[in-house]
Amino acid sequence: DAGVIQSPRHEVTEMGQEVTLRCKPISGHNSLFWYRQTMMRGLELLIYFNNNVPIDDSGMPEDRFSAKMPNASFSTLKIQPSEPRDSAVYFCASRTQGGQPQHFGDGTRLSIL
Amino acid sequence: DQQVKQNSPSLSVQEGRISILNCDYTNSMFDYFLWYKKYPAEGPTFLISISSIKDKNEDGRFTVFLNKSAKHLSLHIVPSQPGDSAVYFCAAMVSSGSRLTFGEGTQLTVNP
């Protein structure tokens, strides 16, 4: 079974540039989660979707961050403009509704210079 | 406000011995708890979970204990193996919702 697929695995870009992270959830999973992992704050939830609808975006740090889920098999997390403090590992996870564990992708390591 | 805390950043044990990883939480609404294991350059992988209606759940070498009155849970690995060396995250949620709250993680090193 294919797991959660994230791309790119690594991204290095200059501050001010737009960054787009991509996620393909496990087929049949109808909840999708975006996390950010940093040394200072650990693993923190940014936003999650149920059935392609954003349910809770209270973890999105500021208006520079946006996330979309145009269909059940694809989601994007966009940062525009990017700043050095956005450097982190970004994880996507998915699950079926009803208490199943979340399954994580291998993350995108983002470096903003 | 850190609602889930893992106070030990690291733990080192000998192969074959028991590893005990600890986790405390403050939110009394949490009723479902999970442990994830994470290797470098990979995402966290689900290990074991426990509902608040239980105080113990066992899966092979892994056992999770829950003490609701103390708001404390622990993960026991017996016997520990070098392949268990990883970062272990404790996570908690309200089962009627979807949001997982993670602890900071504990780096476990099992020495041959």
Side-chain angles (χ1 to χ4, degrees):
Chain A
D1 281 347
V4 175
I5 299 172
Q6 291 186 246
S7 64
R9 288 297 313 275
H10 303 273
E11 174 89 11
V12 180
T13 192
E14 293 186 346
M15 69 176 292
Q17 297 297 306
E18 178 178 292
V19 173
T20 300
L21 311 182
R22 297 172 175 80
C23 176
K24 177 178 169 53
I26 293 172
S27 178
H29 284 190
N30 52 6
S31 295
L32 183 140
F33 304 80
W34 282 102
Y35 290 87
R36 178 172 68 176
Q37 184 183 25
T38 60
M39 289 292 292
M40 292 298 293
R41 299 174 67 89
L43 256 173
E44 53 180 344
L45 178 68
L46 300 177
I47 185 171
Y48 76 89
F49 297 82
N50 281 347
N51 296 314
N52 313 339
V53 177
I55 302 299
D56 183 351
D57 65 353
S58 59
M60 296 286 262
E62 48 197 274
D63 292 346
R64 298 183 297 106
F65 285 69
S66 63
K68 294 182 179 178
M69 192 163 186
N71 56 62
S73 59
F74 184 66
S75 177
T76 59
L77 178 67
K78 188 170 293 187
I79 309 172
Q80 166 64 16
S82 57
E83 296 182 5
R85 61 193 167 119
D86 302 331
S87 299
V89 181
Y90 291 80
F91 290 102
C92 176
S94 71
R95 68 160 200 180
T96 57
Q97 282 186 288
Q100 301 299 318
Q102 295 177 24
H103 299 264
F104 284 76
D106 285 337
T108 295
R109 181 172 293 276
L110 177 63
S111 298
I112 308 297
L113 307 177
Chain B
D1 176 25
Q2 191 69 24
Q3 297 187 64
V4 179
K5 283 197 68 65
Q6 296 175 253
N7 290 313
S8 298
S10 62
L11 175 68
S12 183
V13 299
Q14 286 299 120
E15 181 178 6
R17 305 295 290 268
I18 185 172
S19 296
I20 300 176
L21 298 107
N22 294 303
C23 177
D24 298 293
Y25 62 96
T26 57
N27 189 341
S28 57
M29 297 296 291
F30 289 147
D31 60 359
Y32 194 73
F33 305 88
L34 306 90
W35 285 94
Y36 282 81
K37 178 170 73 173
K38 185 183 180 303
Y39 293 118
E42 295 183 9
T45 55
F46 170 71
L47 197 55
I48 192 169
S49 63
I50 188 167
S51 165
S52 61
I53 63 173
K54 295 185 173 182
D55 54 17
K56 176 183 174 181
N57 189 25
E58 189 172 353
D59 183 1
R61 296 185 298 113
F62 302 91
T63 303
V64 55
F65 295 91
L66 175 62
N67 182 333
K68 289 187 290 294
S69 61
K71 294 191 178 69
H72 177 84
L73 62 156
S74 61
L75 175 68
H76 293 209
I77 306 173
V78 182
S80 302
Q81 300 173 354
D84 296 330
S85 298
V87 177
Y88 288 78
F89 289 98
C90 167
M93 66 182 292
V94 177
S95 57
S96 59
S98 297
R99 171 184 282 270
L100 270 180
T101 302
F102 283 86
E104 307 94 322
T106 297
Q107 171 71 57
L108 173 66
T109 302
V110 180
N111 301 301

